[in-house]
Amino acid sequence: MCQSAVSFQISPVGHGQDELIQRHIDLKTKPLGALGQLEALALQIARVQGAASPQICHPTLLVFAGDHGIAAEGVSIAPSEVTGQMVANFARGGAAINVFCRQVGFKLEVIDCGILTPVEAVTGIIDQRLGAGTAAIHLAAAMPLASVDKGFAMARALIERHHQAGCNLVAFGEMGIGNTSAAAAVMAASMGLGAAECVGRGTGISHEAYARKLMLIEQALQLHRAALVNPKAILACLGGFEIVQMTGAMLAAAERKMLVLVDGFIATAAALVAVNLAPNVRDYLIFAHQSEEQGHQRMLAHLQAKPLLSLGLRLGEGTGAALALPLVYAAVNFYNQMASFSDAGIEAVV
């Protein structure tokens, strides 16, 4: 049976209350602009939620995992089997993302979007498999176009479950050996760039592996050039099962007017596709950090994004998003709880 196309209805965020929100921020007991990016973040959150007292409720971080056929060509420091091993580690609570989520109060879920072999011995992994790894993108399309729509539908149902549970902020992490190759190819095709401007060293590959990675992505872009006609086609030709479902989840979250905390290079590639599909998505995106992957800064600039952190991270998993959550809380809390000049009986300095 053919998977029907999935579309999303995403409303733009209104700016009618911007002056009122900004005035509320400016009258806090501080010099104008003294809280820097937190002030812009508070404005964005209050604008999205359209509330006098914005709140973060039941924040949830979803880690999407999938394998990539191109990994067999030695474009990463580890073989594809490590994807499943790390997914099991996530489910058992032993990875960096588990530590950070426990620390900051993120609920964590792990989704198998299509790793090579399902992890049978560990419970708690959500099955949203689109296959057992994508095809090698330098030889064939990563997946059929129908798989993109199927992944979008799965992601929408997942987000809807969390929305119904009261969640209003979601973040996305990923795991998949070879996924920086897919993300770089998606970036190049989406932005009309050459592979050399997008391909980085991932988790720290050698010079020889980098040269091979660059060559294979150039080959993939050339192979699929005629087919890269729209964002969904780019995902089908060059993406990964986890990138597809992250993209769909971002679209679904924006459709439900939820805030989306975007992690690093791979998550930003998914955000790029989501924005290309539905430009209004951009209003709901908060960019957590700038990673060490060389294409990330260029993607952030393209999306007019100023990330909250720059810590030299290159781990993935959603770790940057988890570390940024306390800053989101700080923005909401100063907006709601900090005294105004009139509250404190202090002469205003605005």
Side-chain angles (χ1 to χ4, degrees):
M1 182 179 294
C2 181
Q3 178 70 33
S4 61
V6 177
S7 61
F8 297 85
Q9 303 300 317
I10 299 166
S11 302
V13 173
H15 291 260
Q17 297 296 308
D18 281 9
E19 186 175 344
L20 181 65
I21 295 167
Q22 189 62 56
R23 184 69 174 164
H24 183 78
I25 292 169
D26 290 345
L27 289 176
K28 298 296 184 181
T29 48
K30 59 173 183 57
L32 282 174
L35 286 175
Q37 278 183 258
L38 290 182
E39 297 193 18
L41 181 55
L43 173 63
Q44 180 186 5
I45 294 169
R47 180 190 290 148
V48 167
Q49 296 191 353
S53 299
Q55 303 290 334
I56 303 302
C57 302
H58 306 290
T60 302
L61 194 149
L62 305 171
V63 177
F64 295 96
D67 273 309
H68 297 259
I70 197 172
E73 303 295 331
V75 295
S76 182
I77 62 170
S80 290
E81 287 75 17
V82 170
T83 303
Q85 293 164 9
M86 283 301 299
V87 166
N89 192 28
F90 297 153
R92 295 187 181 108
I97 191 57
N98 301 99
V99 173
F100 296 157
C101 283
R102 287 193 293 265
Q103 176 180 311
V104 303
F106 252 135
K107 178 183 178 182
L108 176 66
E109 286 188 357
V110 183
I111 301 97
D112 177 1
C113 302
I115 61 178
L116 284 177
T117 305
V119 180
E120 304 287 359
V122 182
T123 59
I125 299 169
I126 298 170
D127 181 0
Q128 295 193 173
R129 291 174 61 80
L130 296 171
T134 62
I137 60 174
H138 64 295
L139 301 176
M143 67 194 80
L145 191 59
S147 294
V148 176
D149 278 307
K150 183 177 180 182
F152 280 9
M154 287 176 164
R156 174 184 258 162
L158 180 67
I159 292 298
E160 184 61 23
R161 173 165 62 82
H162 287 290
H163 175 71
Q164 292 297 327
C167 171
N168 68 359
L169 180 146
V170 283
F172 305 111
E174 39 61 39
M175 178 64 213
I177 300 301
N179 62 9
T180 61
S181 296
V186 166
M187 175 190 172
S190 298
M191 294 176 59
L193 299 174
E197 298 175 90
C198 306
V199 177
R201 295 188 180 273
T203 47
I205 55 177
S206 67
H207 294 299
E208 293 77 16
Y210 173 77
R212 184 162 56 251
K213 179 178 180 180
L214 180 60
M215 178 190 69
L216 293 173
I217 293 173
E218 287 175 338
Q219 184 176 327
L221 292 169
Q222 184 60 40
L223 175 66
H224 302 294
R225 187 174 305 278
L228 302 175
V229 293
N230 58 52
K232 282 189 178 181
I234 289 171
L235 286 176
C237 290
L238 303 171
F241 294 144
E242 79 280 39
I243 297 173
V244 164
Q245 293 199 37
M246 274 196 293
T247 302
M250 290 178 187
L251 290 160
E255 184 175 49
R256 283 303 193 176
K257 297 181 169 56
M258 300 163 73
L259 295 163
V260 176
L261 190 52
V262 181
D263 188 49
F265 180 65
I266 293 126
T268 304
L272 177 65
V273 178
V275 170
N276 286 345
L277 280 165
N280 290 337
V281 169
R282 178 63 186 84
D283 294 343
Y284 300 89
L285 304 180
I286 299 168
F287 290 84
H289 77 114
Q290 179 180 305
S291 80
E292 282 292 275
E293 191 69 4
Q294 71 115 357
H296 195 203
Q297 184 173 355
R298 186 184 288 266
M299 266 198 294
L300 291 169
H302 178 79
L303 290 165
Q304 298 182 320
K306 189 174 183 181
L308 296 173
L309 298 169
S310 182
L311 299 173
L313 302 177
R314 52 183 177 89
L315 179 58
E317 303 179 9
T319 46
L323 291 170
L325 182 62
L327 297 178
V328 176
Y329 274 118
V332 168
N333 290 340
F334 99 74
Y335 186 90
N336 290 332
Q337 300 172 23
M338 188 175 175
S340 68
F341 288 108
S342 59
D343 292 335
I346 298 171
E347 184 175 344
V349 294
V350 296

